[in-house]
Amino acid sequence: MKDYTELPSDHYSNLNAVHRPFFRKLRVFANDPSLANSLETASINEVTLKVIWEVDRLSGKSILQPGPIGEYLEVIDYDPASRAFYAPVDLNNPYLLAQDGLQPSEENPQFHQQMVYAVAMTTIDFFEQALGRVILWSPRVVKDENGRFLREDYVQRLRIYPHALREANAYYSINKKAILFGYFKSATQLAAGASNFVFTCLSQDIIVHELTHALLDGIHPRYRETTNPDVHAFHEAFADIIALFQHFSNAAVLEDTIRKTRGNLSSQNLLGKLAQEFGEAIGHRGALRDAIGYTDAEGQWHESQPDPTKLAGTIQPHARGSILVAAVFRSFLLIYRSRIQDLLRIASQGSGKLAPGELHPDLVKRLSAEAAKVARHILIACIRALDYCPPVDISFGDYLRAIITGDIDMEKEDRYHYRIAFVQSFKSWGIQPGGIRNFSVESLSHRNHLEDNIEVDDYILDNNWNLYADRREAYKCISKNGANLHKWLTKGRGQAFLKVFGLTMEASAAPTVRRKGKYPSIEVHSVRPALRRGPRNNLVTDIVAEITQARKGFFDPLEQRRIDAGSIADAQAAKADFIFRRGCTLIIDMITQKIRYVIKTEGDVNDDHALDKVRRYLLGDAVKGANAFHATNPFEESHDEYFARIHRH
């Protein structure tokens, strides 16, 4: 054995030249704590996540503080019901670093802090990889004492409260820029007089779901405004999709499910369910929401079958959103089945039917790897599609077109027919966008060229924003780009293309259209880069710009016509019943400065037909039953009240 005390001094400098890790490993519950109490599932209910090692970009030193508090998140563990602050966990403690964090525990509040941080940071990492930029939370709106808008302030950290509520709830608060998790006694525990609590902050699905609301709000803040049945349903569905496919993208977690289902992921399994323990705790059989099937009153499970008529009669956000989740999950199953056909033929000696008994461990690993690969592709495609959506009034059909267009941009050759699977699945669930010639990949993809060869002036947009950018500087970049693009549209060469973009600055526009002076005003509220790998593995950088215009809407059509027939001054002073917005998303190639896509809303801000559709929806006349708010007044309810109510069960 070498005597290291006799080594030359320069050897010590080599020993000390250890590079910092890119990740820290943290243990979490793979699904819910309840699975740890079953002999059958205890061994698969712990997973170790690789979480980005947060450092100062200049010094390279760790910035993670006890809490944990990092660049993106601030975990504050105050329990109002108990009037207690729980000591913050220090994930830089060498003992915790040596053992991948605290051991999963329902009883230890510090593990609760560790889990919400680890799962949330993993989700953030998925979004940044898919979008090719650092993510930003929605800004904090500052108003004066009379409620008038003053400014928007940058929000560095989203706050997470693991024990904020003693109730069966968890929700994202837009006003607080925080996620509030609840804890409660389950229905079965209350009946038995047990003292155990169910903690929503220990469910991966609930953490990812609520964080996704916050991430989506930072990208598309106008999706808070309900203008058709799909808007809030999309918020719920998108959050479920991200939670579901984060599970499926982990091959190690998949292996047990693949083994038990013999590779058939359309059968009942834990990974096809969301918030398993949470749903059972409040008296439901099975999961709270299930993308694969449902459990009937007798406790029997049934696989969901596509029903193209169901969408028309479903309006409650969770129920309507479950149809979009089912459509995306069916796409996954179609692709997965296609990709494993060769493996099944090999394993079955050409018959395609596996022999009875347990699958060979090697086959389980290969099937799991294929399922995880497909899930990751779909997860990235679903996130990346956000940049190809209209800025307001999104529909499920718009989202399908965004997925198809974004996937074509990413990979020209559809070798495994992913896009056909999406089209087939969405059609089977009755999700069809309007304004297309036929239901095909070609018709659904947005046109990648314009009749007008439009170039944005090369000096107005700054793309100095990527995965390594300072987030505060990125926020400033949005403001700078927005101001420059606004000037190009209203005073520069962009004026010539306003009609192409579905915008107007005509003085003859309806008097109720929001104005600056006598001309309609234009709002540029997001100009952000999108960095991705192109079909030749080359880096492609686009600028994604969202532009909207607003008009005052009135519930009484006669009142709308009367005010629009009057003076501009009177119309601008009138108090609106709701705000009607139209606009477009521009995708601009940063190399050529050419506009590649113009993704417009249905109609422009002058379109009375589109205005009437929003009016009828808000009044509950457009669909059978009532609108998404149903029992409450949507015009008096705050966004926080809405999210708290819609997630309370």
Side-chain angles (χ1 to χ4, degrees), residues 103-216:
Q103 179 180 346
S105 166
E106 290 186 76
E107 301 297 326
N108 186 352
Q110 290 189 313
F111 170 73
H112 298 192
Q113 301 159 17
Q114 172 181 301
M115 177 149 177
V116 293
Y117 172 77
V119 174
M121 286 300 297
T122 301
T123 308
I124 289 169
D125 188 42
F126 270 117
F127 271 74
E128 292 193 335
Q129 289 182 53
L131 300 173
R133 59 178 180 267
V134 292
I135 63 97
L136 300 174
W137 310 115
S138 64
R140 180 172 286 105
V141 176
V142 180
K143 298 181 180 180
D144 65 15
E145 56 187 15
N146 297 315
R148 291 189 294 259
F149 174 84
L150 290 177
R151 67 181 187 277
E152 290 182 339
D153 286 348
Y154 168 68
V155 174
Q156 179 182 358
R157 300 183 183 95
L158 182 76
R159 290 185 170 182
I160 298 181
Y161 297 88
H163 307 104
L165 313 163
R166 191 171 287 186
E167 59 178 85
N169 202 9
Y171 68 93
Y172 162 58
S173 168
I174 293 171
N175 294 333
K176 293 181 175 69
K177 303 301 174 188
I179 298 176
L180 288 73
F181 290 98
Y183 64 97
F184 59 99
K185 290 185 179 181
S186 69
T188 54
Q189 288 171 332
L190 286 172
S195 59
N196 294 342
F197 285 96
V198 174
F199 295 93
T200 61
C201 68
L202 294 182
S203 166
Q204 272 213 48
D205 302 313
I206 294 174
I207 297 170
V208 176
H209 181 100
E210 300 308 332
L211 186 80
T212 300
H213 279 310
L215 290 163
L216 181 56

Side-chain angles (χ1 to χ4, degrees), residues 460-509:
I460 73 168
L461 297 178
D462 180 2
N463 71 333
N464 187 27
W465 174 9
N466 54 38
L467 289 174
Y468 308 102
D470 179 272
R471 293 173 64 241
R472 188 180 293 273
E473 291 303 314
Y475 179 78
K476 293 178 182 177
C477 183
I478 284 184
S479 299
K480 176 185 173 184
N481 280 345
N484 288 342
L485 185 60
H486 185 273
K487 186 176 180 180
W488 181 78
L489 286 166
T490 59
K491 298 179 181 178
R493 292 192 309 109
Q495 293 179 85
F497 309 114
L498 290 176
K499 189 174 182 180
V500 176
F501 301 154
L503 305 171
T504 181
M505 282 189 64
E506 298 291 333
S508 59

Side-chain angles (χ1 to χ4, degrees), residues 3 21 125 180 215 241 320 379 461 499 559 613-614:
D3 183 355
D125 188 42
L180 288 73
L215 290 163
I241 288 167
R320 191 175 181 88
L379 177 61
L461 297 178
K499 189 174 182 180
E559 178 75 356
K613 281 183 66 176
V614 174

Side-chain angles (χ1 to χ4, degrees), residues 31-46 253 255-257 259-261 268-270 276 358:
N31 289 282
D32 292 302
S34 61
L35 301 186
N37 300 322
S38 167
L39 188 61
E40 183 182 14
T41 56
S43 62
I44 63 165
N45 198 38
E46 181 181 313
V253 174
E255 286 183 14
D256 183 75
T257 297
R259 179 176 57 80
K260 289 178 179 176
T261 63
Q268 185 180 19
N269 64 77
L270 290 175
Q276 171 81 13
E358 290 216 6

Side-chain angles (χ1 to χ4, degrees), residues 181-378:
F181 290 98
Y183 64 97
F184 59 99
K185 290 185 179 181
S186 69
T188 54
Q189 288 171 332
L190 286 172
S195 59
N196 294 342
F197 285 96
V198 174
F199 295 93
T200 61
C201 68
L202 294 182
S203 166
Q204 272 213 48
D205 302 313
I206 294 174
I207 297 170
V208 176
H209 181 100
E210 300 308 332
L211 186 80
T212 300
H213 279 310
L215 290 163
L216 181 56
D217 188 45
I219 298 168
H220 286 296
R222 294 300 186 198
Y223 288 4
R224 304 173 197 164
E225 301 175 4
T226 177
T227 52
N228 71 65
D230 287 349
V231 177
H232 275 143
F234 175 76
H235 241 290
E236 296 304 322
F238 183 72
D240 277 353
I241 288 167
I242 303 305
L244 187 66
F245 285 101
Q246 270 195 215
H247 270 315
F248 274 87
S249 64
N250 189 322
V253 174
L254 271 173
E255 286 183 14
D256 183 75
T257 297
I258 294 285
R259 179 176 57 80
K260 289 178 179 176
T261 63
R262 293 172 51 79
N264 180 16
L265 291 176
S266 62
S267 63
Q268 185 180 19
N269 64 77
L270 290 175
L271 291 176
K273 300 179 178 182
L274 292 177
Q276 171 81 13
E277 181 193 28
F278 190 56
E280 291 178 348
I282 61 173
H284 291 265
R285 286 186 171 88
L288 180 63
R289 294 185 289 281
D290 196 321
I292 302 175
Y294 63 93
T295 305
D296 63 23
E298 284 72 42
Q300 297 298 311
W301 190 87
H302 305 272
E303 181 180 355
S304 294
Q305 297 299 320
D307 179 359
T309 67
K310 186 176 181 180
L311 189 66
T314 306
I315 201 63
Q316 197 276 341
H318 280 148
R320 191 175 181 88
S322 70
I323 297 173
L324 178 58
V325 177
V328 174
F329 191 79
R330 182 172 172 79
S331 305
F332 165 76
L333 289 179
L334 291 172
I335 298 165
Y336 167 69
R337 288 166 183 163
S338 174
R339 288 189 63 131
I340 65 171
Q341 288 304 309
D342 58 340
L343 294 174
L344 296 182
R345 284 193 297 271
I346 294 170
S348 62
Q349 297 181 338
S351 70
K353 294 183 179 180
L354 297 172
E358 290 216 6
L359 298 182
H360 192 284
D362 290 344
L363 179 60
V364 170
K365 286 184 178 295
R366 287 288 289 112
L367 293 175
S368 301
E370 287 298 322
K373 186 182 297 183
V374 175
R376 186 178 180 83
H377 185 108
I378 289 180

